[in-house]
Amino acid sequence: EQAVQLLGRIGDGDWLLPAQDGLARLAEAGGETEAADRLWQRVAERYPKRAFEVETYRVAMLQRTGRDEEALKALARVLFYRPDDYNAWLARGALLDRLGRYDEAIADMREAVRLRPHAAVTLNACGYTIGNRSGRHAEALGMVRRAMEIVPDNAAIIDSYGWVLYHLGRLPEARS
C-alpha cells in the first residue's frame, strides 16, 4: 500500500516510467493484469510525448504475463513508428524465436544487425539464433566472432562462440 502511494506520486521526469513500471508489476503480482494494462493506457494518454516509451514498457509487461501475441502486435506498432529502433527488432526477433517462428526471428535479428552492425549484443543474438535455428554454423560463427572482438570478456558471447564451435565439430576449441 505504501509503495503504491509513493510510486503514484512520481510525476513526469526521469523516474516516471520506472515508477509506473513498479506499479504495473505490483498489479501483475496481485493477478491484476488488466489493471496493469489500464495503468499503461492512462500514462500514455496523460503523457502523449512519451507514448513510444510507454509502449516499450507495455511490451515487457505483456511478455511477462504470457501474452506473447499481444506483445507481437505492440512491437509491430513500435516498429511502425520507429523502424530504426534496433532494440525493438531484436526484442521482436527474440519473441518470435521463443514462439518457434525461426525464419521470422532471424529476419528481425538481421534487421537489428543491419541497423547496428557494431553492437556486440545484437551480433551475438543474431549469430546464436542463426546457428541454433538454421544450422548455418559458419555464418553464425562469423557474427559471434565479431561480437567477441568488440566485447571479448562477455560470458554470453563466449558461451555462444563455444556453442557454435561445438556444432562445427571443433571440439578442442569449443572446450577452451
Side-chain angles (χ1 to χ4, degrees):
E1 183 70 28
Q2 187 178 11
V4 169
Q5 289 175 356
L6 291 171
L7 290 170
R9 290 180 22 203
I10 297 173
D12 197 13
D14 292 343
W15 294 102
L16 171 68
L17 296 180
Q20 297 304 308
D21 191 45
L23 288 170
R25 287 172 186 261
L26 287 169
E28 291 166 36
E32 297 290 330
T33 56
E34 290 179 19
D37 256 342
R38 287 191 304 274
L39 178 141
W40 286 121
Q41 185 177 20
R42 283 193 308 273
V43 173
E45 289 168 359
R46 187 167 179 199
Y47 303 96
K49 291 182 180 178
R50 307 206 53 194
F52 173 78
E53 293 171 275
V54 168
E55 194 66 2
T56 60
Y57 275 92
R58 189 171 166 273
V59 165
M61 183 265 309
L62 290 168
Q63 287 183 286
R64 281 193 309 271
T65 58
R67 294 154 60 194
D68 292 336
E69 291 301 323
E70 288 180 70
L72 279 176
K73 289 177 186 173
L75 279 166
R77 284 191 299 277
V78 167
L79 289 167
F80 177 80
Y81 289 106
R82 296 260 176 97
D84 61 339
D85 187 328
Y86 79 99
N87 281 316
W89 285 106
L90 196 59
R92 192 170 78 167
L95 179 54
L96 287 164
D97 181 65
R98 194 171 75 233
L99 294 172
R101 295 164 61 178
Y102 304 132
D103 291 340
E104 293 172 88
I106 291 169
D108 279 9
M109 290 185 182
R110 284 186 191 282
E111 181 62 15
V113 170
R114 187 190 70 75
L115 291 167
R116 290 294 292 269
H118 304 294
V121 171
T122 304
L123 287 164
N124 183 58
C126 188
Y128 179 84
T129 303
I130 287 171
N132 232 21
R133 304 303 188 197
S134 74
R136 293 190 302 269
H137 302 297
E139 179 184 1
L141 183 65
M143 283 189 175
V144 175
R145 184 181 291 138
R146 283 184 18 225
M148 227 165 89
E149 290 169 1
I150 296 166
V151 185
D153 296 328
N154 182 291
I157 295 171
I158 293 168
D159 178 69
S160 296
Y161 189 66
W163 185 242
V164 173
L165 288 170
Y166 168 80
H167 281 286
L168 286 168
R170 295 164 57 177
L171 301 183
E173 290 175 89
R175 279 188 207 100
S176 69

